Amino acid sequence: MQAASDSVIAPNASLQALSTATGQAEQTAASALLLQMATHLRQADNLLEALPQALRAGSPDSYCRHVAYADPSGRFTIVYLVWRPGQHSPVHGHKTWCAYRVLQGELSETLYDWNPTTQTLSVNGEIARRPGDIFTAIPGLQQTHRLGNSSDEVAITLHIYGVAEENIASGVNLLPPQPLLQ
């Protein structure tokens, strides 16, 4: 038996409307999920205690990830990120929903505005993220940012991503097209 081949169909007006409605429903669901995630992150105690002392120093090469929990069904993964002074993420949006909380130290977060028409980003500001601060993001480039440790102390954050553990390195960051900034 031969497998059917996939083909791409040009959408008519009904399919385009259904596609738009599905995208809006997905964004609404992600927003509701992230509100709940922020509440749970805020209420969680002793999160830093679960990270062994030996893993808190980080790596001299780049910020590092330590998986704290991977959902057996692959729905989400909880990860500690350890940031030494001077370490930064790339400028990125997200391929999936995410939430994070600063547990130790301070991070600087540069926020960007995404212009889908020109496919460019512009800097919108910078925020200092301190212990207890929580940030959530929906998929896409609407909440593009760059995290980094500009302080003299190690910073540790706890992130929850809507991906399976095996996709944690490639299924989270959505890098914007180049040229980046206008």
Side-chain angles (χ1 to χ4, degrees):
M1 180 176 221
Q2 194 172 26
S5 64
D6 292 335
S7 58
V8 177
I9 298 169
N12 62 17
S14 293
L15 284 174
Q16 287 176 337
L18 179 60
S19 174
T20 299
T22 301
Q24 291 170 342
E26 181 183 44
Q27 293 295 333
T28 300
S31 295
L33 170 74
L34 291 172
L35 282 173
Q36 290 182 15
M37 293 305 311
T39 298
H40 295 304
L41 273 169
R42 190 171 293 108
Q43 294 171 348
D45 291 329
N46 306 319
L47 293 171
L48 189 56
E49 290 177 13
L51 181 65
Q53 198 69 37
L55 299 178
R56 296 182 190 188
S59 167
D61 301 323
S62 175
Y63 66 91
C64 58
R65 299 180 190 98
H66 303 293
V67 174
Y69 177 81
D71 177 64
S73 299
R75 296 173 299 164
F76 62 91
T77 303
I78 302 174
V79 183
Y80 288 96
L81 272 64
V82 180
W83 311 77
R84 284 189 170 186
Q87 294 178 339
H88 294 80
S89 72
V91 174
H92 65 281
H94 296 93
K95 295 178 183 178
T96 183
W97 59 264
C98 71
Y100 78 84
R101 178 177 169 182
V102 179
L103 302 178
Q104 173 185 301
E106 182 176 306
L107 291 180
S108 59
E109 181 173 19
T110 305
L111 306 173
Y112 297 86
D113 286 328
W114 170 246
N115 184 327
T117 304
T118 62
Q119 300 279 295
T120 57
L121 293 169
S122 57
V123 175
N124 184 24
E126 189 167 304
I127 298 174
R129 300 287 185 189
R130 295 180 177 89
D133 286 354
I134 295 168
F135 175 82
T136 63
I138 58 175
L141 293 172
Q142 303 89 335
Q143 292 177 283
T144 299
H145 67 161
R146 180 178 189 236
L147 289 172
N149 184 353
S150 300
S151 77
D152 295 331
E153 304 288 326
V154 170
I156 300 174
T157 52
L158 184 76
H159 297 245
I160 307 171
Y161 298 113
V163 296
E165 180 180 7
E166 60 268 15
N167 297 325
I168 204 72
S170 62
V172 174
N173 288 355
L174 177 59
L175 303 178
Q178 300 295 328
L180 182 61
L181 302 173
Q182 57 181 7

